[in-house]
Each structure stands twice: as C-alpha cells, then as structure tokens.
Amino acid sequence: MPVTFIPLPSKFGKAKITIAARISSPRNHQADRPDPAHETMLFLHPVWADGGFFYPQFEDPILYEHYNLVALDLPGHGQTTVRGSVGTYTYDKLVDHLAAALKVLKLETVHVVGMSCGAICGFHLAAKHPDRVASLLTFGFRAGADGADMKESYGECRDLMVESLKNKDSASLDQVTTAMFEFGFGPAYARRFADFKDECMAQARSWSKGGSKEIEQRAHMIWNPPISRPTPGDEDLKAIRCPWLSVQDEDNVADVTAMMDQHNAVRAPSVPAGRCMVFAHSPLWMTLAHADRTNRLMARFIRQRNTTMLSPILGPMTAAPPSPALKTPSTAVSFDLGPPQSKHVGWADNNDNDDDGQLVQLAAW
C-alpha cells in the first residue's frame, strides 16, 4: 500500500515534520486521502512499530468496506521525518502533531483505535482535542505513569538504539526489535510473527542513514513520551467527551478499571459511560494476534457508539496461537517498508501563519 506524506504547518517552530500515513477508503483501498463521504478510523501503533502494524485491519472487509482507514507513523517512527529540533518531546506535543495532521487531511472527527503506547496517544488526543475524537477504543492501555523498572527498560532501549545506529551495528539494534516483539507477544507469538518482525528490523536499520543529532532526536521522540508521562488526573478524564472502551490483556486490569470508574464518576451526564473489558489469555498486541475478534469488536463499538452488548465477541475464551501461515504486511496488502516512493499531501497556502491549508498533490520524493 502506498504511503502518503503529510507535511505539518510551520507553527511548530523550527521543526519541519512530515507524517507518513497509510490510507484506505471504501472506494479506493490505496487512497491518498480519506473519502469525505465516509467516517474515518485512525489507528495509532505501539512504540517501535509503525502504521503497518494494523495490516490485519486494512485487509478486513468488515472495516475497509465501511470506513476510511488511516494508520499514521507516529513522530520518530517508521517513515515519518523530522527536520530541526522539537525540544523536549512528550505526549502533549505528540497529540498536537496528530491533530495538525488530521486538519491537513480535512478530518473533522475520527474514531481512534490505539494499541499500547498508541492507546495512550489516543487517550491524550481525546483529552486535549475532544472535538476531534468521535469514539475511543484502547487496547492494552496503561492507566498511570510507568514504574521505575519500566522507565529504566525504556532508557536502555533508547541508549542501545542510539549507540547501534551510530555504529551501524544491526545485530545490537535488532535486539531492541526482538525485545519489543517479546514484550508485545511473548516468545511463542513472536515466533509466529517472525516475518513481520524481520520487516520491522529492516525499517529500524534504515534510520542509520541519519546523522548523530537526527539519530539522537529520533530516539528521544520514540522513548521520552512513555518515560516522561505523568498519571492522568481528573481534568484529563473529565475532558473526554466520547464513548470510551478499553480492552485489556490480563495485566494492568485493576488500574485501568479504577481509572474507568473515575472517568465515569467525573464525566458529564451527556457522555456515555466508559467500560473496561478483559481479553482473557491474549497477548498484549491482540489486534495482531486475534484480529478476527478485535476487528468485529471495533466495528460494533463504532456502530453502536456505546459499550453495551460487546462481551460475546471476546469471551470467555482461551486464545489459541495464530497459524504460522498468517500473512505479513508485504504479502497481505503490500505495505512498503522501504524508502518513500509515494504521493505527497501538503499545504497550498503560502502564509505560514494560516492554519487553513489546502490538500494538493506534490511530486513524489
């Protein structure tokens, strides 16, 4: 699937950020922009992955026949590029960049689907830009700030990433990818998705082409948001005005349930009650491991706009490992993890201070 590039407006200071996006519409599964006649699902991937993480959703007719599907490479990840300094990078800055990308794409509202750190991005997008989010579906959400051990692990991954990219040490860099896949799947599932893992390794190795400062900033943009994230407060929970469903593996259930209870206590009466569900015996990266069930859940939740009558989709169940023959992004929808070769969506307004940009087709890179 071609990758569309979305240059953000210059209001973000010296940094020039171009977001990479994979876009499908019901009329065109290799679209360069969403179809305004249909609602849009925005997919936000976990740390170290990219928009290709959601290939099982892009190939499922229960989703692509009814919605625009937009999967972004979060800043620092995949083929998204940053030229110039962004300063200290946090989830607060990240969601402002996401909101700007939605504006370029002329998306008034989206249904947000986030996985792990992408779920945290979706939460903060809904809290800071509530008018942009029609519904929020989080998978593997983490309610509070990570503990010291987890932050230390993030820091070790960051430092190993920087050192191995500067030294062009692919074997050491591959250790980060391996660690992230085992974190998301566990060893058994990670083996099942070995082809996808290899493609993610190739993407990470391509980052070595940057200079030292670019490598250091990329690492900072990937790892600092989860390291620096504070525990959300009541004001964040109260700011969310859309239906919210959080689907958890069997870790962090108590914390997320407590947060959802607090959200329901402080939400406005007009906001539907949020809900936390448990997907028993599933790995963290359940949208990949069990796409059949999670995709049906997504479709029903968006259609209903509430959290009732959803439990039969997920359980009770014992999740069996997927078939070894499961398609990878390349075999399923031809996601391109190589150099950018696709269309460029940009701003046609010469006034750098004007936020009313227009979509235009620019030359391919």
Side-chain angles (χ1 to χ4, degrees):
M1 177 175 286
V3 176
T4 294
F5 292 90
I6 310 166
L8 301 189
S10 59
K11 67 180 181 180
F12 294 110
K14 296 180 180 179
K16 294 183 179 180
I17 301 173
T18 303
I19 303 288
R22 295 159 178 84
I23 303 174
S24 169
S25 73
R27 299 177 184 177
N28 182 359
H29 301 322
Q30 297 190 16
D32 57 15
R33 67 196 65 200
D35 184 340
H38 297 274
E39 294 180 279
T40 298
M41 297 176 67
L42 175 68
F43 295 93
L44 303 175
H45 60 77
V47 69
W48 199 251
D50 63 12
F53 182 89
F54 293 102
Y55 69 88
Q57 286 66 53
F58 274 66
E59 68 170 358
D60 192 335
I62 200 173
L63 300 179
Y64 71 66
E65 288 183 351
H66 304 284
Y67 301 99
N68 297 311
L69 309 180
V70 177
L72 304 180
D73 291 0
L74 299 177
H77 296 78
Q79 297 184 46
T80 288
T81 60
V82 180
R83 300 288 183 265
S85 174
V86 295
T88 301
Y89 205 63
T90 61
Y91 279 120
D92 191 60
K93 281 187 179 180
L94 194 160
V95 299
D96 284 345
H97 294 157
L98 296 182
L102 297 180
K103 189 166 186 177
V104 178
L105 291 173
K106 298 189 181 300
L107 291 171
E108 294 295 328
T109 61
V110 292
H111 300 283
V112 174
V113 177
M115 180 71 252
S116 189
C117 284
I120 296 172
C121 293
F123 172 87
H124 287 286
L125 180 66
K128 190 171 184 181
H129 300 276
D131 293 338
R132 292 281 185 189
V133 182
S135 66
L136 175 62
L137 180 50
T138 54
F139 290 92
F141 180 69
R142 300 180 75 85
D146 285 306
D149 289 346
M150 182 64 74
K151 291 182 178 181
E152 183 178 357
S153 296
Y154 289 149
E156 290 174 353
C157 287
R158 177 200 60 212
D159 295 343
L160 180 58
M161 172 188 170
V162 171
E163 181 180 2
S164 57
L165 284 173
K166 286 183 177 180
N167 295 329
K168 300 189 182 327
D169 179 358
S170 59
S172 295
L173 184 65
D174 290 349
Q175 292 179 22
V176 181
T177 305
T178 297
M180 296 313 300
F181 267 69
E182 293 197 356
F183 175 74
F185 284 130
Y189 277 87
R191 287 194 295 272
R192 301 281 185 170
F193 289 88
D195 289 344
F196 182 36
K197 175 182 168 183
D198 288 345
E199 293 177 15
C200 292
M201 284 179 172
Q203 175 67 78
R205 292 169 190 165
S206 72
W207 298 335
S208 65
K209 298 174 184 177
S212 292
K213 289 185 178 180
E214 182 179 341
I215 289 171
E216 290 170 359
Q217 177 163 271
R218 182 185 289 276
H220 173 78
M221 295 179 76
I222 290 175
W223 299 107
N224 195 64
I227 289 174
S228 63
R229 180 200 181 211
T231 298
D234 283 358
E235 289 305 312
D236 299 300
L237 296 171
K238 188 175 181 180
I240 295 176
R241 301 202 296 263
C242 64
W244 177 21
L245 174 66
S246 192
V247 183
Q248 302 298 125
D249 61 335
E250 292 170 293
D251 291 332
N252 305 307
V253 173
D255 290 345
V256 177
T257 301
M259 173 175 277
M260 192 65 74
D261 289 343
Q262 185 62 13
H263 163 66
N264 288 334
V266 301
R267 66 186 168 88
S270 59
V271 176
R275 183 180 176 190
C276 179
M277 296 175 62
V278 178
F279 193 174
H281 309 294
S282 173
L284 174 62
W285 287 359
M286 60 191 77
T287 58
L288 260 179
H290 300 291
D292 54 342
R293 296 200 178 200
T294 56
N295 290 357
R296 285 189 289 136
L297 180 71
M298 294 174 198
R300 186 179 293 185
F301 175 60
I302 292 174
R303 185 169 62 249
Q304 293 181 182
R305 306 293 175 92
N306 63 58
T307 58
T308 61
M309 300 300 292
L310 296 173
S311 295
I313 295 175
L314 291 185
M317 65 164 291
T318 299
S323 166
L326 187 71
K327 295 177 180 177
T328 67
S330 292
T331 60
V333 287
S334 299
F335 278 129
D336 179 12
L337 293 178
Q341 297 177 352
S342 55
K343 298 169 184 176
H344 206 141
V345 175
W347 290 72
D349 193 330
N350 291 326
N351 184 352
D352 288 344
N353 296 318
D354 189 344
D355 285 338
D356 296 324
Q358 301 294 319
L359 287 174
V360 294
Q361 282 299 129
L362 302 179
W365 284 13

